[in-house]
Amino acid sequence: MKLLRYGPPGQEKPGLLDADGRIRDLSAHVDDIAGAALLPDGLDRLRAIDPATLPLVEGNPRLGPCVGRVGKMVCIGLNFSDHAAETGMAVPPEPIIFMKATSAIVGPNDLIELPRGSEKTDWEVELAFVIGKTAKYVSEDEAMDHVAGYCIVNDVSERAFQIERQGQWTKGKSCDSFGPTGPWLVTRDEVEDPQKLKMWLEVNGHRYQDGSSATMVYGVRYLVSYLSRFMSLQPGDIISTGTPPGVGMGQKPQVFLKAGDVVELGIEGLGTQRQTVVQG
């Protein structure tokens, strides 16, 4: 299934994408794509519905973040060997973990707002997985049972805030609009191998990132198990797994986003995003 949320910010309704690429309304069955709806039993109930029996949503409504009421957004840094190489940093011996504020989460095609004082706002196409069942001290063998599905995240990053100022990475990662998520949550059964997905990103039609989740250092299965040693993962939590090479910081000379730029990105089987950059 491809589950989604549509409508104005803060008023999104649950829906799914049918086989013809049309949005169908799920409001009669769930109140949101969140919480209990993401549990295995909840997904099974949605899977049993014939999409043709659901109301068709007319027009082209705004798509919101594909998951609602996100408890936490956990991100993994330097998790692609070829991206680590372009930054000049060593592949970490354990996953680098940082948090992105949930207030940064927006829809897949919403505006990216440059924060005041921004000097180096950058892009990162990332594969994210969404937790569907609480995970605490789970083994790698059990890990995938706790994954509801996958989606795209653009881990927008202000590099000066992140790297050149004191403190942790969070403040360079958490500005409003720095977490475009979606367009849909693709359930786990529709992704044969999350470690073999093509990933790309373009700015103003120029392709900067053209990689694959195959170069991830720590894969989805490992990350579920690893993170569950340090915190419980709850239904609806989003874990964004890192980016392939081609970020603006890695260009020679470096390239960063400016007002008016258009960012387009996608991951094989998970859809695409498109954002216009504005001054916040």
Side-chain angles (χ1 to χ4, degrees):
M1 290 184 296
K2 293 180 174 67
L3 301 174
L4 55 90
R5 300 167 72 247
Y6 69 96
Q11 302 175 44
E12 291 93 348
K13 295 181 179 181
L16 63 75
L17 200 72
D18 69 17
D20 296 317
R22 299 174 298 183
I23 297 175
R24 299 281 182 166
D25 182 63
L26 278 172
S27 298
H29 298 273
V30 289
D31 65 345
D32 203 353
I33 306 300
L38 298 171
L39 292 169
D41 287 350
L43 292 178
D44 285 344
R45 283 193 292 272
L46 296 180
R47 202 173 279 115
I49 300 169
D50 179 358
T53 66
L54 298 171
L56 187 64
V57 178
E58 300 293 344
N60 294 293
R62 168 190 174 267
L63 294 177
C66 58
V67 180
R69 303 196 298 269
V70 177
K72 55 184 173 289
M73 191 171 198
V74 185
C75 301
I76 310 299
L78 296 176
N79 193 31
F80 281 64
S81 55
D82 38 9
H83 172 56
E86 77 169 340
T87 65
M89 301 181 189
V91 172
E94 290 191 42
I96 293 175
I97 301 170
F98 62 91
M99 310 295 276
K100 185 184 282 276
T102 56
S103 54
I105 298 172
V106 293
N109 305 314
D110 288 348
L111 299 173
I112 292 175
E113 299 179 12
L114 296 176
R116 295 177 186 177
S118 168
E119 302 172 7
K120 298 180 178 180
T121 294
D122 206 345
W123 56 81
E124 294 188 9
V125 58
E126 302 207 357
L127 168 67
F129 61 88
V130 177
I131 296 298
K133 183 171 70 171
T134 298
K136 186 173 183 178
Y137 301 120
V138 301
S139 69
E140 287 188 56
D141 288 341
E142 303 168 309
M144 300 308 285
D145 294 337
H146 298 264
V147 175
Y150 304 93
C151 63
I152 303 169
V153 167
N154 186 357
D155 178 21
V156 185
S157 310
E158 213 299 340
R159 303 300 190 188
F161 295 178
Q162 175 193 357
I163 298 170
E164 299 172 19
R165 298 173 66 168
Q166 295 299 306
Q168 298 179 343
W169 288 6
T170 302
K171 65 177 175 287
K173 298 282 191 171
S174 295
C175 304
D176 289 354
S177 79
F178 272 24
T181 301
W184 29 78
L185 170 63
V186 180
T187 51
R188 179 166 53 91
D189 57 296
E190 291 199 7
V191 179
E192 183 176 353
D193 186 348
Q195 309 308 150
K196 292 182 179 179
L197 302 178
K198 295 177 182 178
M199 308 169 66
W200 60 271
L201 182 144
E202 298 177 351
V203 181
N204 301 329
H206 177 80
R207 182 156 296 197
Y208 284 97
Q209 293 189 274
D210 196 356
S212 168
S213 60
T215 65
M216 283 173 62
V217 179
Y218 301 106
V220 172
R221 185 182 299 276
Y222 181 85
L223 289 173
V224 174
S225 177
Y226 181 83
L227 290 171
S228 77
R229 304 176 205 171
F230 305 103
M231 65 189 86
S232 62
L233 303 175
Q234 308 291 334
D237 286 351
I238 298 173
I239 292 83
S240 200
T241 62
T243 197
V247 299
M249 180 176 63
Q251 305 302 309
K252 296 180 181 180
Q254 293 181 330
V255 179
F256 296 109
L257 295 173
K258 60 186 185 301
D261 285 347
V262 175
V263 183
E264 296 180 90
L265 58 148
I267 298 179
E268 181 182 359
L270 303 185
T272 61
Q273 299 185 355
R274 185 181 191 276
Q275 299 109 28
T276 299
V277 181
V278 298
Q279 183 61 54

